[in-house]
Amino acid sequence: MKISSLTKAFAGGVALSAILAGAAFADGALVYDGGGKFDKSFNEAAYNGAEMFKAEGGAYQDLEISGDAMREQAVRQFAARGNNPIVLPGFSWETALRAVAPEFPDTKFTIIDTVVDLPNVQSVVFKEHEGSYLVGVLAAMQSESGKIGVVPAFNFDLLEAFACGYAQGAKSVNPDIEVVETYVGTGFEAFNDPVKATEVARSQLDQGVDVIFQVAGGAGAGVLQAAADAGKYGIGVDSNQNHLHPGSVLTSMLKRVDVATYNAMKGVADGTWEPGVIVLGLAEDGVGAAFDENNASLITDEMMAAFEEAKADIISGEVVVHDFRTDKTCDAL
């Protein structure tokens, strides 16, 4: 039996164990984080990577969870069915993975956005601060008010790394620029609250902010909408979100979650998968910014030249972007 997509497994009171009942699977599995498969951001990037693998003849099952209580059960059930690898995009999978992975030593797990040091776990992390620095350069060059914003989902070290890198990039262009930081909420649920994200973005716009970087996953759609409605500029995150509001989304900070997901599934299929930590930054094309027909009219030759210069300087080591996660400080904010 093959199941191409296992979505909202608790909907209608159907237990996950019942959904997964049947013959053991040899295919990979992808279990999305909060926000769901088609969040136009982080989870959708993971889906796109799995679809790349599928297009080459691979197969996988996927699942959207309906709440945090489902995490450990979902991972354990997939492992028990024989799915391999099991890809878990998002730092919020760490607790469930630490509980389940030791029970299935022959199953390969790939977690994205945090490090779990276990012999059958591959951890893929990114240098988000480097990509965020680059979009900060563009934000400062675009801003007319001298005030830009960043909207993380909540106060969390990974999200602060985005915000801090962004502020550093902006201040490399204009040391006097003001960077306003406002959170959507206080916990993981904030990733699923575009209404609150819209309100937060509007509050920044009311303060004179004219470019806003959303770091809130699915909720960030509300940030981009608010900026577009006000005739200002938003910056997308994780996936290319330029198309959501053509001419209003200045750029999107790309984080190649698709590549990490594809590599995990392909690696198991061809025998090259290895446990340990994989770090993807600018030099590895793991982060970057999106340029296409939707923002072509916004990016001047001067902006592109500054972007390319900053990128080259970071890759060469001439510019070292401070990572908030190293010491929990950010002088630029």
Side-chain angles (χ1 to χ4, degrees), residues 164-207:
C164 186
Y166 175 68
Q168 289 173 78
K171 291 192 174 182
S172 74
V173 173
N174 176 8
D176 297 322
I177 199 165
E178 182 178 350
V179 184
V180 179
E181 181 180 23
T182 317
Y183 305 115
V184 176
T186 59
F188 296 120
E189 69 282 351
F191 286 111
N192 299 316
D193 197 345
V195 174
K196 181 64 183 298
T198 301
E199 295 173 0
V200 167
R202 286 174 178 165
S203 74
Q204 290 195 354
L205 293 163
D206 289 343
Q207 296 174 58

Side-chain angles (χ1 to χ4, degrees), residues 96-113:
L97 181 57
R98 288 188 182 279
V100 176
E103 300 174 14
F104 298 91
D106 295 328
T107 300
K108 297 174 174 63
F109 299 88
T110 293
I111 188 167
I112 300 172
D113 261 2

Side-chain angles (χ1 to χ4, degrees), residues 57-91:
Y60 74 99
Q61 286 76 48
D62 63 352
L63 174 70
E64 294 179 83
I65 59 171
S66 59
D68 287 341
M70 191 177 174
R71 291 184 186 276
E72 187 172 324
Q73 183 189 8
V75 178
R76 182 173 285 108
Q77 290 280 358
F78 273 121
R81 301 318 309 163
N83 290 86
N84 198 25
I86 298 173
V87 181
L88 304 170
F91 51 79

Side-chain angles (χ1 to χ4, degrees), residues 96-173:
L97 181 57
R98 288 188 182 279
V100 176
E103 300 174 14
F104 298 91
D106 295 328
T107 300
K108 297 174 174 63
F109 299 88
T110 293
I111 188 167
I112 300 172
D113 261 2
T114 193
V115 174
V116 174
D117 186 14
L118 291 171
N120 57 335
V121 174
Q122 179 185 83
S123 303
V124 184
V125 292
F126 297 84
K127 295 181 180 179
E128 293 90 354
H129 50 297
E130 293 185 349
S132 297
Y133 183 102
L134 296 182
V135 301
V137 168
L138 298 177
M141 296 183 75
Q142 179 65 47
S143 178
E144 296 180 355
S145 68
K147 184 180 290 189
I148 62 175
V150 58
V151 179
F154 65 106
N155 186 356
F156 188 77
D157 287 358
L158 171 63
L159 306 180
E160 291 298 335
F162 282 90
C164 186
Y166 175 68
Q168 289 173 78
K171 291 192 174 182
S172 74
V173 173

Side-chain angles (χ1 to χ4, degrees), residues 131 134-135 138 235-243 249-255 287-296 298-299 304 307:
L134 296 182
V135 301
L138 298 177
I235 296 177
V237 76
D238 295 335
S239 296
N240 183 349
Q241 299 183 315
N242 297 354
H243 65 283
V249 179
L250 181 64
T251 187
S252 299
M253 203 295 276
L254 300 177
K255 181 167 153 180
V287 295
F291 302 103
D292 59 23
E293 67 278 7
N294 295 302
N295 68 340
L298 305 177
I299 306 297
M304 185 58 74
F307 175 92

